[in-house]
Amino acid sequence: MEVTLLGTGDTTGTPTVGCDCDTCQRARSMGVERTRFSVHVRSASGQSLLVDFSPDFRSQFLREDLEPPDAAVVTHIHFDHLDGLGNVYRLADDLPVYAADETDPATGESVARTVRERYDYLDAVSVEPTAPFEPVRAAGLAVTLVPVDHPPFLCYGLLVEDPETGGRLALSGDTSYDVPDRSLAALSGADLLLADGIVPAENCEYHPLGGRHHDDAGVPRTFGDKHMTVEGARQLGDRLDAERTRLVHLSHYIPADRAFEDDMAVDGERFHL
């Protein structure tokens, strides 16, 4: 199983448009980007799965010289994870898109229904309602959606397993540190964990809600109520006993001298599991 990190940034990406902060300037000088989140997984069978449809879909696929995916999964309905779906227009003949079938109290409909209704003009797309914790076979891979905590909407992490190689990829999804126990169990023991860590813990003082889910040393592991801090993401990796953890969904608010540390992903990284 080959995993390519297409997009490793938050909703504005790094560099951010119109920003000359030290972190954005350093990214430019290094020649690296963190575009909006998306992951490409090629199974041992040669088929490919796309996790989330970044608004940067076109540039990501051209940059990595990739063909349109054979199947895809959508973790939640925020625009930076969904709005790139329109890019498959005239590119795909038949694209099954897997999304959770649970009704979201905040919207009155499931992720699957939202995707279907927003993109009903895409004849090639078939939305496949998927029950959390129930593995489905997609692009030669076993794919399992697991609930996480990303208010106000339902959001899901993901376990992707290759039955031919035994490789296991876990994604925390966009989430606070308050991941349900059953989901933690499902995501544990992966060869690679992609963990959402948007800013360092000290940035919580700038959020109206502050920080949450403090560790024993008083360090907040959640920024506000939607995303993990960098420290929280690292602790999640330890808690899940992942062989390797890469931090994703990173913002340009991480100080430049720490924004590109060894475990902080940038676009284009590839892993073989």
Side-chain angles (χ1 to χ4, degrees):
M1 177 166 63
E2 181 184 75
V3 178
T4 303
L5 307 188
L6 298 181
T8 55
D10 69 341
T11 188
T12 66
T14 302
T16 294
V17 173
C19 183
D20 61 356
C21 74
D22 289 346
T23 300
C24 288
Q25 290 190 55
R26 186 169 182 202
R28 293 185 183 101
S29 69
M30 293 172 64
V32 299
E33 280 193 290
R34 289 176 173 143
T35 57
R36 275 75 67 89
F37 182 79
S38 186
V39 178
H40 183 274
V41 185
R42 189 179 304 281
S43 68
S45 69
Q47 296 177 284
S48 64
L49 174 77
L50 181 66
V51 180
D52 284 341
F53 289 91
S54 168
D56 300 308
F57 178 104
R58 179 178 178 276
S59 61
Q60 291 171 347
F61 271 71
L62 288 172
R63 183 192 72 213
E64 301 300 330
D65 192 24
L66 297 171
E67 297 294 323
D70 296 294
V73 58
V74 172
T75 60
H76 66 297
I77 62 172
H78 279 148
F79 95 98
D80 53 325
H81 295 258
L82 175 58
D83 282 11
L85 178 53
N87 284 278
V88 305
Y89 186 63
R90 294 181 177 170
L91 296 182
D93 296 323
D94 179 21
L95 181 65
V97 176
Y98 296 85
D101 62 359
E102 292 183 304
T103 298
D104 190 331
T107 65
E109 57 189 39
S110 65
V111 175
R113 181 177 174 183
T114 298
V115 174
R116 182 186 296 114
E117 293 188 352
R118 287 192 190 178
Y119 294 95
D120 59 354
Y121 64 91
L122 296 175
D123 293 338
V125 171
S126 59
V127 179
E128 306 293 335
T130 304
F133 298 113
E134 295 293 332
V136 294
R137 187 68 177 257
L141 300 160
V143 179
T144 307
L145 288 164
V146 298
V148 292
D149 178 57
H150 190 57
F153 301 126
L154 292 182
C155 184
Y156 302 86
L158 200 65
L159 177 66
V160 180
E161 301 172 281
D162 193 322
E164 292 192 32
T165 67
R168 289 167 53 90
L169 167 69
L171 292 89
S172 74
D174 281 12
T175 183
S176 78
Y177 191 76
D178 192 23
V179 179
D181 288 344
R182 186 179 178 189
S183 297
L184 292 173
L187 296 172
S188 66
D191 300 300
L192 175 65
L193 170 68
L194 303 179
D196 160 31
I198 196 165
V199 294
E202 67 260 28
N203 287 36
C204 291
E205 67 176 288
Y206 302 111
H207 195 289
L209 297 178
R212 299 170 60 202
H213 308 125
H214 296 72
D215 64 16
D216 292 341
V219 177
R221 292 176 287 196
T222 295
F223 175 70
D225 64 350
K226 295 183 184 354
H227 296 275
M228 287 184 288
T229 61
V230 167
E231 292 83 350
R234 287 171 173 159
Q235 289 189 40
L236 182 72
D238 293 339
R239 187 176 180 185
L240 294 181
D241 195 27
E243 181 175 328
R244 181 166 36 182
T245 298
R246 302 297 285 162
L247 274 56
V248 296
H249 211 280
L250 298 160
S251 78
H252 69 131
Y253 294 111
I254 303 168
D257 62 346
R258 287 182 281 157
F260 302 96
E261 292 181 342
D262 288 346
D263 61 351
M264 293 183 173
V266 294
D267 290 9
E269 293 183 9
R270 292 192 179 185
F271 302 89
H272 293 86
L273 311 181

